[in-house]
Amino acid sequence: SELCFVINDKSKGRSGLMLGGEARVALPIGAYFGFQADGGLDRVDHLWATTARGHLFMGLGGYGTLGPAVQYATLDKAHAWRLGVECQAWVGAVSLDGFAGYQRGDSSRKFEVKTGGFFCGEARWYVDDNALVGVGGGAGPSREFIQANGEIQLGGQLSPVSMFARGAIGDAADRSVLAGVRLHWGNGATLLARHRQDMLIPYAGCGLEQFDHKDIGLYYSNAG
């Protein structure tokens, strides 16, 4: 779970705040497979946004994961579905994450959801077992974005608390900055072990980028 504070959407001279939270749970299925569910709830410019994702994956013996994923998101009265394939590769202290597939949905009066292919991904370098920096981005039927982020687990492997920050740049001068605190449940472990053994599938850089505001620009950040 996490709490965060966001400065979001400076396109065309407009600025706003976003508050949000996220929860994840992962379950093993036999020796080689697993299932993870993610959920997020955000308050964006006086509007509610929700995100829910399910991942069924195969663990590749310490080298990464591979499997299908589905994502459902809402913003205002617009709805979007994404169905695709998600993968991770672990190369020493580097993690590579990607999610690619097809999206469709229903537009609202304020937000347009276009149909078509998408991709989003991220590369993370673990400076040590309890700190990382990452870069990523995505492209879809609406627009593209790039982002950078970092996270550090406070107090070493026995601490349940980490701090994170993320900044993103999109088309049409869209900007967002997100920072907050994550509370990790379960036995003490390093941040690297949590990401590769417990909570295997991150959001891979994906946010609310499938929602294109018809007047002021793109919303592409959430608390994930």
Side-chain angles (χ1 to χ4, degrees), residues 12 107-113 143 211-219:
K12 299 186 180 178
S107 300
S108 67
R109 183 177 63 85
K110 292 183 178 181
F111 295 96
E112 182 178 10
V113 179
R143 302 183 188 180
F211 296 101
D212 192 12
H213 199 293
K214 296 178 180 179
D215 299 321
I216 64 171
L218 179 70
Y219 284 82

Side-chain angles (χ1 to χ4, degrees), residues 4-55:
C4 58
F5 177 81
V6 184
I7 302 173
N8 187 55
D9 189 22
K10 293 185 178 179
S11 61
K12 299 186 180 178
R14 184 185 176 111
S15 63
L17 301 178
M18 182 176 81
L19 299 176
E22 170 200 335
R24 306 182 187 183
V25 61
L27 302 171
I29 303 176
Y32 301 102
F33 295 90
F35 174 79
Q36 182 171 311
D38 308 321
L41 177 65
D42 305 302
R43 183 71 170 172
V44 186
D45 192 24
H46 308 296
L47 301 173
W48 288 106
T50 61
T51 304
R53 299 183 71 196
H55 324 256

Side-chain angles (χ1 to χ4, degrees), residues 30-222:
Y32 301 102
F33 295 90
F35 174 79
Q36 182 171 311
D38 308 321
L41 177 65
D42 305 302
R43 183 71 170 172
V44 186
D45 192 24
H46 308 296
L47 301 173
W48 288 106
T50 61
T51 304
R53 299 183 71 196
H55 324 256
L56 180 63
F57 60 89
M58 176 178 63
L60 304 176
Y63 295 99
T65 63
L66 176 67
V70 60
Q71 174 181 321
Y72 174 70
T74 67
L75 181 59
D76 190 29
K77 297 181 179 180
H79 306 265
W81 285 92
R82 284 182 163 180
L83 179 63
V85 176
E86 208 163 31
C87 65
Q88 292 187 107
W90 305 329
V91 184
V94 176
S95 292
L96 305 174
D97 311 304
F99 181 33
Y102 188 79
Q103 77 172 39
R104 61 175 302 169
D106 300 312
S107 300
S108 67
R109 183 177 63 85
K110 292 183 178 181
F111 295 96
E112 182 178 10
V113 179
K114 296 181 180 179
T115 298
F118 74 91
F119 168 80
C120 46
E122 186 174 68
R124 295 179 172 185
W125 173 47
Y126 289 82
V127 181
D128 60 37
D129 287 351
N130 290 301
L132 69 86
V133 292
V135 293
S142 295
R143 302 183 188 180
E144 297 76 43
F145 73 98
I146 58 174
Q147 70 174 27
N149 69 85
E151 184 172 357
I152 182 170
Q153 185 162 289
L154 305 179
Q157 72 178 61
L158 297 180
S159 172
V161 178
S162 66
M163 298 182 64
F164 70 95
R166 174 182 301 159
I169 301 174
D171 290 352
D174 293 299
R175 305 288 188 270
S176 71
V177 178
L178 178 153
V181 177
R182 286 193 173 100
L183 177 63
H184 303 276
W185 301 95
N187 296 327
T190 66
L191 189 65
L192 177 64
R194 293 184 189 280
H195 290 170
R196 293 187 179 181
Q197 299 174 18
D198 299 331
M199 309 308 297
L200 290 172
I201 310 292
Y203 272 112
C206 300
L208 299 176
E209 69 274 6
Q210 62 267 54
F211 296 101
D212 192 12
H213 199 293
K214 296 178 180 179
D215 299 321
I216 64 171
L218 179 70
Y219 284 82
Y220 54 79
S221 292
N222 68 352

